[in-house]
Amino acid sequence: MAMVISSVHATLFARASFFCQSSGLRSFRSCLPFSSSAASVSTHNFSRKKWRQPVLSVLDLGGVNISREDVVRDDPTNNVPDNIFSKLGVHLHRRDQHPLGILKNAIYEYFDTHYSNKFNKFDDLCPIVSVKQNFDDVLVPEDHVSRSYNDTYYIDPQTVLRCHTSAHQAELLRTEYTHFLVTGDVYRRDSIDSTHYPVFHQMEGFRVFVPEEWEASGMDATLFAATDLKQCLEGLARHLFGAVEMRWVDTYFPFTNPSFELEIYFKEKWLEVLGCGVTEQEILKRNGKPNNVAWAFGLGLERLAMVLFDIPDIRLFWSNDERFTSQFSKGQLGVKFKPFSKYPPCYKDMSFWINESFTENNLCEVVRGIAGDLVEEVQLIDNFTNKKGMTSHCYRIAYRSMERSLTDEEINDLQWKVREQVQSKLNVVLR
């Protein structure tokens, strides 16, 4: 399960609506457009297509063309920018020679070896989901911060870009899948630094047990599931990291109880590997399994890959530079990345009086929308409130390319555009 959800369809679009529609075994990958008044959905060709680089205006998801206007719209209920639309359909996790694909396949190998191909694998499910799928189906409270426009990318009030792969959990359960791994790209509005990016990749694992399994053990259902879960994930950690010291930390997630985080002692410090727990019984009841018990786990592929491959900046995963891509090969887990650039950062400070609606995530969206992956970090370095009750923030923006030197002219142009857009879009007063 995608365990970290903080800063983490009856949907009408201007032209069409989208939802992940099942058309039979292993068919959740298709995003189908439908008319709000249609009584049925026409048949589509679900054949697997080779991925092509999407253009800015149209991309192909599951054999269906989705235009930019379907996802990015000039509407107050829509907050998906062009730079996020451009990441749809890229599927880094499906590239066997990419660090994320190598890690995904290593996890697959562990489950295939220890569970005799019992787990069904999904890695191309549609990232456009309903609010119900993304939040309600996994018991996220209505007042939870992750539902806000500040944290989530909304296409319209009832449709989002998934925040976690758990968005497909209920649908898979209703379609009688009991053991599954779901991997995919997920989207969250977030801060800008070397470990955060608005698009990243998660894997969820889910296993359902029948009463005969825990009754034969002599344990109660919850203890049986928790014990099996910990044994499974300790084995996975050893498979990925070798013989490492581990510890379990009790925590809270809306969709599991009890809930845990697994930490390993790696490179002389404790590292959180994943979140997991025994699935809340309400989820099973809602999806036709009231007499069962289940466990779920969720992990971030980038987080683990950065550690395993010594990749220092999350932006590198999106690089097409051959000096990066040529360093990795199919099946070679843990090859250490050799840095190929030492380009210095350029720092620009910006101060402004904020208003009540200001959020740092909104600021980062503006900066990222202008500078893209040339922005390395946005950091609050100073703030104060004057006698009139006005609050000032000063942010330091670090610009740096992972692939080339940036010119002063280029950086100054970016900074002026950032200042203009921050003032006009966020309604702040520059100092």
Side-chain angles (χ1 to χ4, degrees):
M1 177 173 288
M3 291 294 161
V4 182
I5 59 174
S6 59
S7 74
V8 100
H9 277 85
T11 304
L12 299 180
F13 275 19
R15 295 175 52 194
S17 293
F18 293 85
F19 71 112
C20 291
Q21 169 72 27
S22 168
S23 64
L25 187 64
R26 299 183 63 78
S27 62
F28 295 89
R29 62 181 59 91
S30 302
C31 285
L32 303 182
F34 70 100
S35 167
S36 60
S37 60
S40 61
V41 178
S42 60
T43 302
H44 290 259
N45 178 10
F46 297 115
S47 60
R48 189 183 297 270
K49 294 189 177 183
K50 184 177 180 180
W51 175 81
R52 301 189 304 274
Q53 177 69 35
V55 298
L56 182 61
S57 59
V58 178
L59 61 89
D60 184 321
L61 285 179
V64 176
N65 287 332
I66 298 176
S67 73
R68 173 189 177 278
E69 290 72 23
D70 292 322
V71 180
V72 181
R73 293 183 286 123
D74 185 14
D75 185 302
T77 66
N78 180 289
N79 63 351
V80 183
D82 280 319
N83 62 301
I84 295 300
F85 173 78
S86 70
K87 298 296 191 290
L88 288 166
V90 176
H91 292 158
L92 297 179
H93 62 288
R94 301 185 68 195
R95 302 182 185 183
D96 289 342
Q97 293 185 310
H98 190 279
L100 300 184
I102 295 168
L103 175 57
K104 180 199 73 174
N105 290 333
I107 298 172
Y108 280 1
E109 179 184 272
Y110 169 78
F111 279 92
D112 285 344
T113 300
H114 293 272
Y115 294 92
S116 303
N117 297 306
K118 186 177 289 187
F119 281 78
N120 295 101
K121 306 178 189 70
F122 302 89
D123 68 356
D124 54 358
L125 306 189
C126 180
I128 300 173
V129 300
S130 68
V131 167
K132 179 179 182 298
Q133 288 173 298
N134 197 71
F135 297 119
D136 300 340
D137 285 351
V138 289
L139 309 183
V140 176
E142 290 195 7
D143 61 351
H144 197 281
V145 63
S146 64
R147 289 180 180 256
S148 74
Y149 275 70
N150 187 57
D151 283 34
T152 294
Y153 289 109
Y154 279 82
I155 295 173
D156 68 23
Q158 295 301 321
T159 314
V160 300
L161 298 180
R162 65 185 171 208
C163 300
H164 45 199
T165 48
S166 304
H168 307 286
Q169 186 183 106
E171 187 174 7
L172 290 168
L173 287 171
R174 288 194 299 270
T175 319
E176 299 304 319
Y177 288 99
T178 59
H179 299 65
F180 52 84
L181 301 172
V182 178
T183 312
D185 43 323
V186 298
Y187 300 79
R188 295 182 198 165
R189 302 174 90 241
D190 212 338
S191 55
I192 298 177
D193 58 37
S194 63
T195 62
H196 291 88
Y197 202 78
V199 188
F200 56 106
H201 299 76
Q202 289 186 337
M203 179 183 291
E204 163 162 309
F206 202 94
R207 182 179 187 181
V208 178
F209 298 95
V210 297
E212 291 77 13
E213 291 178 277
W214 69 78
E215 289 170 355
S217 73
M219 302 182 192
D220 67 65
T222 299
L223 178 60
F224 176 82
T227 301
D228 184 88
L229 170 66
K230 290 182 176 182
Q231 290 175 347
C232 170
L233 296 180
E234 287 173 0
L236 175 60
R238 285 190 290 270
H239 178 73
L240 297 177
F241 293 95
V244 292
E245 184 181 354
M246 305 179 207
R247 68 184 183 188
W248 290 96
V249 179
D250 293 337
T251 189
Y252 165 79
F253 303 118
F255 20 66
T256 54
N257 185 26
S259 303
F260 316 100
E261 289 175 346
L262 175 60
E263 297 182 350
I264 64 170
Y265 196 71
F266 190 73
K267 294 185 178 179
E268 300 185 348
K269 64 180 180 180
W270 286 102
L271 170 72
E272 178 190 333
V273 175
L274 50 80
C276 62
V278 178
T279 305
E280 282 283 4
Q281 207 61 28
E282 180 63 23
I283 292 176
L284 296 174
K285 289 178 182 177
R286 291 183 183 183
N287 295 290
K289 302 190 182 328
N291 300 318
N292 299 90
V293 68
W295 55 243
F297 73 84
L299 55 83
L301 293 182
E302 278 89 346
R303 178 181 179 83
L304 299 188
M306 290 179 78
V307 174
L308 287 164
F309 293 95
D310 279 353
I311 295 174
D313 194 303
I314 196 169
R315 293 176 297 164
L316 279 165
F317 290 111
W318 297 91
S319 175
N320 291 316
D321 193 311
E322 288 188 1
R323 291 172 295 176
F324 177 77
T325 59
S326 64
Q327 294 191 36
F328 309 102
S329 302
K330 180 178 179 179
Q332 299 299 308
L333 181 69
V335 172
K336 303 307 179 186
F337 169 68
K338 297 180 177 61
F340 54 82
S341 67
K342 298 291 184 181
Y343 303 115
C346 177
Y347 299 101
K348 295 289 184 180
D349 293 351
M350 179 172 56
S351 299
F352 48 82
W353 299 105
I354 67 170
N355 53 45
E356 291 183 356
S357 64
F358 173 81
T359 70
E360 190 168 299
N361 277 0
N362 286 339
L363 171 64
C364 289
E365 283 294 303
V366 171
V367 176
R368 191 181 280 116
I370 294 168
D373 287 352
L374 296 182
V375 60
E376 179 175 74
E377 186 175 29
V378 175
Q379 182 182 16
L380 178 66
I381 60 172
D382 186 39
N383 69 90
F384 70 91
T385 301
N386 66 14
K387 294 180 179 179
K388 296 181 179 179
M390 299 172 63
T391 299
S392 171
H393 281 188
C394 181
Y395 284 90
R396 177 159 293 164
I397 303 175
Y399 296 97
R400 184 192 339 225
S401 170
M402 305 299 293
E403 301 169 357
R404 62 184 177 86
S405 292
L406 299 177
T407 65
D408 289 339
E409 181 180 5
E410 185 176 11
I411 294 169
N412 289 335
D413 183 57
L414 289 173
Q415 183 68 4
W416 276 113
K417 289 178 180 177
V418 165
R419 289 175 61 85
E420 291 173 353
Q421 291 295 306
V422 165
Q423 183 170 244
S424 64
K425 290 188 175 182
L426 303 184
N427 296 316
V428 300
V429 178
L430 295 175
R431 298 181 58 218

